[in-house]
Amino acid sequence: MFYSFCKAQIFIRAGNRSSPTSQCFSFHQNYAIIPLAVRYVSKIAGDEHSFTVSYLINSCGLSPDSALSVSKRMQFETSEKPDSVITFFKNHGFSQAQITNLIKRKPKLLLAVPDKTLLPKFLYFYSKGISRSELARILSSNPRVLEYNLDKNIIPRFNFFKELTDCDDKKVFLAYNNCPMILTYDLKSVFASNLAFLREIGVPESIIMTKLVVHPRIFARNHDKFRRYTEEVKKLGFNPSQQLFLIALKSLTEISRSTWERKSNIFKQCGWTDKDIISAFEKNPRCMTFSEHKIIATMNFLVNTMGFKPSFIANCPYLLSYSLERRIIPRCSVLQALVSHGLIEEFNVYSMLACTEKKFLQRFVTPYEDLYLLKLYRGKQGLSE
């Protein structure tokens, strides 16, 4: 059986905005607290860790709590080695924010010998067509590969994934960004059994390879669990020969049973039936992966402000995919103005939201030569004229 549904209550609370005065006061408060926090953490850490803690805070941008936690697992008495690592990353185009992010995830990289352990990997990635900016962006979020041996781990796994998917070098590294395991774990047996099963149930090779490059994490799961997820998707009526089958599989692997039930309850509170939920998932499996806040806010606007029936949204669940603040509210505000002035009577809300900004302006704003419409549209987007 697929996930069961249960009742739940949803509470929405609006946050308060602080005034400029209070923000200024908060800044001065925080600024004054920083030296005290450093002294406090250093005192707790003990003399042997105090240099490490101070360095992590002052040079790497870690919070006092994070610095203290890291210092319990790693210490250094001078700044020579960590300075050389930070300089290395800066020389390769990493911003201070990216360096902080990287060190938070893998602090032991501060003990690396850059020319020996980091430079060969960077040169290898550059040789595969990865630009400095792309490398900095990806590694600052997923630095795990920098801990692995280039010749024994990275190169063989890079070549394996490239041969498996028949994609170019750059796409292999971009796939790593979505699933670091492709370069840090031996996934040959896992991929082999899962891909074989998909072929067995009729998923076309072209669809498998396309999804494998873009979303390799789907296929990197324990085979028994992978089979269970796949069977659930089949029970829902998705056709293995169609691309939507793997989209649904991806969605199910990303949410737990409790999450499914919680989001189902939210949709029910917004007016959907059990049948609506399944129907919407069949049309747009991503709808169950949206945050609870996004679901509530978007459904509230479309139903209570725009007057659409919940069943209409369930029948066209791609409406939930768009940004509420940047697309739905600005465009719907323009349409409300046009309808209220009798300038239009009927419109297709989905095509109105799906079209590009250029086409939207050409169809719903520019023809009326009304500066108010453009101001309304830009204002709702939060943009200046």
Side-chain angles (χ1 to χ4, degrees), residues 29 51 69 80 107 111 127 188 236 257 288 366-367:
Q29 277 187 319
F51 179 81
S69 176
E80 182 179 359
L111 302 179
S127 74
K188 290 182 181 180
L236 282 171
R257 181 181 297 272
M288 295 302 286
T366 306

Side-chain angles (χ1 to χ4, degrees), residues 246-265:
L246 289 186
I247 294 176
L249 178 61
K250 177 179 181 292
S251 297
L252 282 189
T253 60
E254 291 177 348
I255 58 176
S256 64
R257 181 181 297 272
S258 60
T259 299
W260 174 278
E261 292 176 351
R262 190 168 63 250
K263 291 182 179 180
S264 295
N265 290 328

Side-chain angles (χ1 to χ4, degrees), residues 174-365:
L174 295 178
Y176 161 81
N177 190 42
N178 293 325
C179 181
M181 288 188 294
I182 69 169
L183 297 182
T184 58
Y185 287 89
D186 187 354
L187 295 175
K188 290 182 181 180
S189 60
V190 175
F191 278 148
S193 57
N194 290 341
L195 296 182
F197 180 66
L198 290 178
R199 295 182 184 109
E200 181 183 320
I201 63 174
V203 180
E205 190 73 10
S206 60
I207 293 178
I208 293 175
M209 290 301 120
T210 299
K211 285 298 177 184
L212 183 56
V213 174
V214 179
H215 298 295
R217 190 180 297 275
I218 303 174
F219 310 91
R221 297 181 178 275
N222 171 276
H223 183 60
D224 291 337
K225 289 183 178 179
F226 184 82
R227 287 182 68 102
R228 286 200 297 271
Y229 282 125
T230 304
E231 292 299 333
E232 292 285 3
V233 175
K234 288 178 64 179
K235 288 177 183 177
L236 282 171
F238 288 93
N239 187 340
S241 66
Q242 298 178 354
Q243 189 172 2
L244 200 59
F245 184 87
L246 289 186
I247 294 176
L249 178 61
K250 177 179 181 292
S251 297
L252 282 189
T253 60
E254 291 177 348
I255 58 176
S256 64
R257 181 181 297 272
S258 60
T259 299
W260 174 278
E261 292 176 351
R262 190 168 63 250
K263 291 182 179 180
S264 295
N265 290 328
I266 292 173
F267 280 121
K268 284 186 176 182
Q269 292 290 326
C270 295
W272 283 11
T273 64
D274 287 347
K275 185 177 180 180
D276 287 334
I277 293 170
I278 297 301
S279 174
F281 182 77
E282 290 174 347
K283 293 181 174 69
N284 180 20
R286 296 186 182 91
C287 69
M288 295 302 286
T289 65
F290 299 144
S291 71
E292 295 170 34
H293 172 75
K294 176 176 175 60
I295 293 172
I296 294 170
T298 306
M299 288 291 292
N300 179 63
F301 179 81
L302 293 175
V303 174
N304 298 324
T305 302
M306 294 302 297
F308 296 121
K309 293 182 179 180
S311 58
F312 170 80
I313 303 170
N315 193 50
C316 194
Y318 281 97
L319 294 174
L320 300 173
S321 302
Y322 300 112
S323 168
L324 180 64
E325 294 79 12
R326 301 285 294 178
R327 181 170 292 215
I328 297 176
I329 291 178
R331 295 190 180 191
C332 287
S333 297
V334 169
L335 290 179
Q336 284 182 318
L338 293 174
V339 171
S340 66
H341 287 82
L343 297 175
I344 61 173
E345 295 182 359
E346 296 182 356
F347 59 87
N348 184 310
V349 65
Y350 178 72
S351 63
M352 177 271 294
L353 290 175
C355 68
T356 64
E357 181 174 34
K358 181 179 179 180
K359 288 185 178 180
F360 176 81
L361 292 173
Q362 289 175 341
R363 182 177 177 187
F364 296 103
V365 177

